[in-house]
Structure formats: structure tokens, C-alpha cells
């Protein structure tokens, strides 16, 4: 079950990028979260080759992927919020960077605690996503325009971020303890299933995008 879900998640990681290429003539690429879509595609390719085929140690990859998230997610929300809330984004960038540097210190001094280092970044990103989601809804109501959310591309992007990071928050928070006490795959499948759902929502979001 776990392996099947993992392969589906890896395939799903390429779907937003493939969909973007398929729709590139009919969407406004300047407003698309290109950075995150490319990061997702690259991550899926690496996980397939590096983790599944070559069985490379994943601790370094976790940190590489974290820096991709730290760069791509704030950029994506900045597009979703139309460049508003500049002070919030500037503050968030600094905090996320400091947390990432702290996680590198933990990993350097305690190489066997890669899950702890990864969890530090996930907590910071989850809080950022929650606040970013609230700001997106605030912007929606402040603009006095309530679009049909089911046909609104941004809704699928925001929903994907919010559902994934909130649903895996406690998993990452307890990951180090879980890894030491039980069969890790039995719990990690929560992250894999959440990843599949997230990437499918991203794909739907790409297909809902229209040219500005």
C-alpha cells in the first residue's frame, strides 16, 4: 500500500508542470506560481531517481527541498495576494531564513536528527501558510468580490497549501518520536496521501487558470 501510494505521489508531482506546458498558450504565465510548480516537478524527479532507484540518504535532500519550499511558497503567496502585505512578507522571509539556518546548525551538530531539522522548517512554513491563507480570504472579502471559488484557480492553490501543511503538521511535529518507537511507514503514509491530494489540487488549479 505504501509503495503504491509513493509511486502515485511521485507521478502526481509532475502533473502540475505537464498541465502548465499543455496550457501555456492560454494562461497568464506571469501570474502562475511557476517557481513552486517547477520545484514540485524537480522534487518528484529527484525523489524517483535519488530515493527510490539509487536509495540515496535523504537527510541532505530534506534540507535542499526545504530551501526550495522557503523560496517558492512565499513567492507563490505573494502572487496570490497581488503583492499586498509587503511588511508581512518581509518579516516572514527573515523568520523563515533564521529558522532554516537554525535547522542547518542542528543538522551539522547532530547528523542523526535530520527529522528534527526538517520539522523546524515545516512548523515555520505551516504557520506562514495559515497566516497567508487568512490574508487571502481577507483580501477576497476586502475587495468586495466573491468569485465562484470552484472556478477560481487561486482557490485550489491556497486550499492545497492549507490542507497539506495543516494535515501533516502534527506528523512532522512528532516524527522524531514516531521514528524511534513504531513502524515509520505506517504513519508516513499520511504525508504521502496528503502529498497526492495537494498535487492534484495544484493540477486542477493550473487547469482553471485563464489568461489575464
Amino acid at each position: 500500500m505504501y509503495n503504491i501510494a509513493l509511486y502515485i505521489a511521485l507521478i502526481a508531482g509532475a502533473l502540475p508542470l505537464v498541465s502548465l506546458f499543455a496550457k501555456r498558450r492560454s494562461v497568464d504565465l506571469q501570474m502562475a506560481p511557476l517557481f513552486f510548480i517547477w520545484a514540485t516537478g524537480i522534487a518528484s524527479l529527484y525523489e524517483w531517481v535519488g530515493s527510490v532507484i539509487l536509495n540515496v540518504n535523504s537527510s541532505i535532500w530534506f534540507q535542499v527541498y526545504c530551501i526550495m519550499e522557503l523560496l517558492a511558497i512565499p513567492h507563490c503567496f505573494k502572487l496570490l495576494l497581488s503583492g499586498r502585505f509587503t511588511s508581512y512578507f518581509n518579516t516572514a522571509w527573515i523568520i523563515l531564513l533564521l529558522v532554516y539556518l537554525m535547522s542547518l546548525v542542528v543538522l551539522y551538530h547532530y547528523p542523526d536528527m535530520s527529522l528534527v531539522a526538517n520539522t523546524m522548517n515545516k512548523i515555520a512554513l505551516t504557520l506562514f501558510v495559515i497566516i497567508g491563507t487568512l490574508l487571502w480570504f481577507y483580501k477576497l472579502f476586502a475587495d468586495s468580490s466573491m468569485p465562484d471559488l470552484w472556478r477560481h484557480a487561486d482557490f485550489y492553490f491556497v486550499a492545497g497549501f492549507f490542507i497539506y501543511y495543516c494535515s501533516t503538521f502534527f506528523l512532522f511535529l512528532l516524527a522524531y518520536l514516531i521514528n524511534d518507537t513504531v513502524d515509520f511507514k505506517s504513519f508516513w503514509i499520511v504525508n504521502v496521501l496528503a502529498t497526492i491530494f495537494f498535487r492534484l489540487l495544484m493540477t486542477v488549479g493550473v487547469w482553471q487558470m485563464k489568461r489575464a
Side-chain angles (χ1 to χ4, degrees):
M1 173 65 181
Y2 176 84
N3 289 334
I4 293 174
L6 178 61
Y7 292 136
I8 294 174
L10 294 177
I11 293 171
L15 292 180
L17 188 58
V18 172
S19 300
L20 190 64
F21 275 108
K23 288 204 66 177
R24 64 186 183 278
R25 296 179 182 277
S26 59
V27 301
D28 182 9
L29 293 179
Q30 291 184 346
M31 294 307 296
L34 292 178
F35 194 179
F36 189 82
I37 292 172
W38 272 100
T40 301
I42 292 171
S44 296
L45 178 62
Y46 176 85
E47 288 170 11
W48 194 291
V49 175
S51 300
V52 177
I53 298 177
L54 300 179
N55 199 25
V56 177
N57 188 307
S58 60
S59 59
I60 297 177
W61 166 244
F62 276 151
Q63 289 301 310
V64 173
Y65 186 65
C66 278
I67 194 63
M68 292 170 67
E69 286 182 306
L70 292 175
L71 293 172
I73 294 176
H75 177 261
C76 185
F77 268 94
K78 193 168 185 178
L79 288 176
L80 293 171
L81 293 170
S82 305
R84 299 185 187 180
F85 311 106
T86 304
S87 298
Y88 166 69
F89 279 104
N90 291 338
T91 304
W93 274 108
I94 294 172
I95 294 174
L96 291 172
L97 179 59
L98 289 175
V99 171
Y100 181 74
L101 292 176
M102 290 170 59
S103 73
L104 289 181
V105 172
V106 171
L107 189 62
Y108 178 78
H109 290 285
Y110 306 98
D112 60 332
M113 296 182 68
S114 61
L115 280 174
V116 174
N118 187 48
T119 298
M120 293 170 63
N121 293 307
K122 290 295 183 181
I123 292 173
L125 279 169
T126 300
L127 294 176
F128 174 84
V129 166
I130 291 173
I131 296 173
T133 301
L134 293 175
L135 289 176
W136 185 78
F137 277 104
Y138 170 80
K139 170 181 170 292
L140 211 61
F141 288 111
D143 290 343
S144 300
S145 60
M146 182 58 69
D148 182 357
L149 294 181
W150 298 113
R151 297 179 180 274
H152 199 293
D154 291 358
F155 170 72
Y156 291 95
F157 297 137
V158 171
F161 283 118
F162 184 80
I163 292 172
Y164 171 75
Y165 281 93
C166 288
S167 63
T168 59
F169 177 75
F170 289 103
L171 175 67
F172 281 102
L173 195 63
L174 301 173
Y176 188 72
L177 296 176
I178 294 172
N179 192 38
D180 286 343
T181 56
V182 296
D183 178 16
F184 193 55
K185 286 186 178 180
S186 300
F187 285 84
W188 199 249
I189 195 171
V190 174
N191 178 57
V192 176
L193 294 176
T195 299
I196 294 172
F197 189 63
F198 178 28
R199 292 174 174 178
L200 290 178
L201 283 176
M202 290 290 294
T203 304
V204 174
V206 172
W207 280 104
Q208 291 293 340
M209 291 176 63
K210 297 179 177 63
R211 182 171 293 279

